[in-house]
Amino acid sequence: MTLFSEVRGLPVVTLGEANELGVVRSLTIDVVSGLVGQVRLSPARGRKEIAIDWSALHVIGPDAVLVRSGTALDTPPAPVEILGLRVLTEDGDERGTVRDIAFDPVTGRVEKMCTALGDIPGDRLVGLGDYALVVRTG
């Protein structure tokens, strides 16, 4: 299991050429599948924020994220900042704020959301928006 806080700020480098594309800024999470869909980067060379599909990742290492050469770069829509986001149940009950997200570094599956009031399993994720991350009551 890997924490987003451990990955944030790591350089993203192409596998073959060792070109630095940028640094990890955030993750895009698909709430339906419970998977990380994209890694969002602050680019190395003055471009707008870019995103790389999870499938293009080769490995997340302790010092860098390696991506396959020739990886397509997308210009994503504005991100929802997950860290610090309010957590609510489907019933509207407060569950704290997101402190971190734990995910499987190979599959991208969200394992848990670490909140100010305790951990919530990733399979309870229902929705994610500008206002809150919504989880099943459990």
Side-chain angles (χ1 to χ4, degrees):
M1 194 170 0
T2 298
L3 294 172
F4 171 60
S5 59
E6 298 169 341
V7 176
R8 188 178 212 177
L10 285 180
V12 178
V13 179
T14 58
L15 189 57
E17 303 80 18
N19 291 329
E20 185 172 331
L21 301 175
V23 296
V24 176
R25 181 181 181 284
S26 64
L27 303 174
T28 300
I29 296 175
D30 179 342
V31 295
V32 174
S33 67
L35 298 172
V36 175
Q38 293 179 319
V39 176
R40 301 169 72 98
L41 314 178
S42 294
R45 293 181 215 105
R47 293 183 288 185
K48 292 181 180 180
E49 183 177 84
I50 54 177
I52 296 174
D53 284 336
W54 183 266
S55 61
L57 270 59
H58 177 70
V59 69
I60 297 175
D63 300 318
V65 176
L66 298 178
V67 297
R68 291 176 184 80
S69 297
T71 294
L73 305 176
D74 294 327
T75 303
V80 172
E81 191 59 46
I82 296 171
L83 299 185
L85 195 62
R86 184 178 191 187
V87 179
L88 299 172
T89 66
E90 296 168 302
D91 301 327
D93 296 329
E94 284 278 345
R95 290 293 184 245
T97 57
V98 178
R99 289 192 172 170
D100 217 336
I101 298 283
F103 61 93
D104 182 304
V106 175
T107 65
R109 176 148 315 276
V110 175
E111 300 289 338
K112 64 182 175 180
M113 285 78 60
C114 307
T115 76
L117 299 177
D119 295 345
I120 299 171
D123 61 358
R124 289 183 40 202
L125 182 61
V126 173
L128 176 63
D130 293 339
Y131 180 72
L133 181 141
V134 181
V135 296
R136 275 189 221 64
T137 306

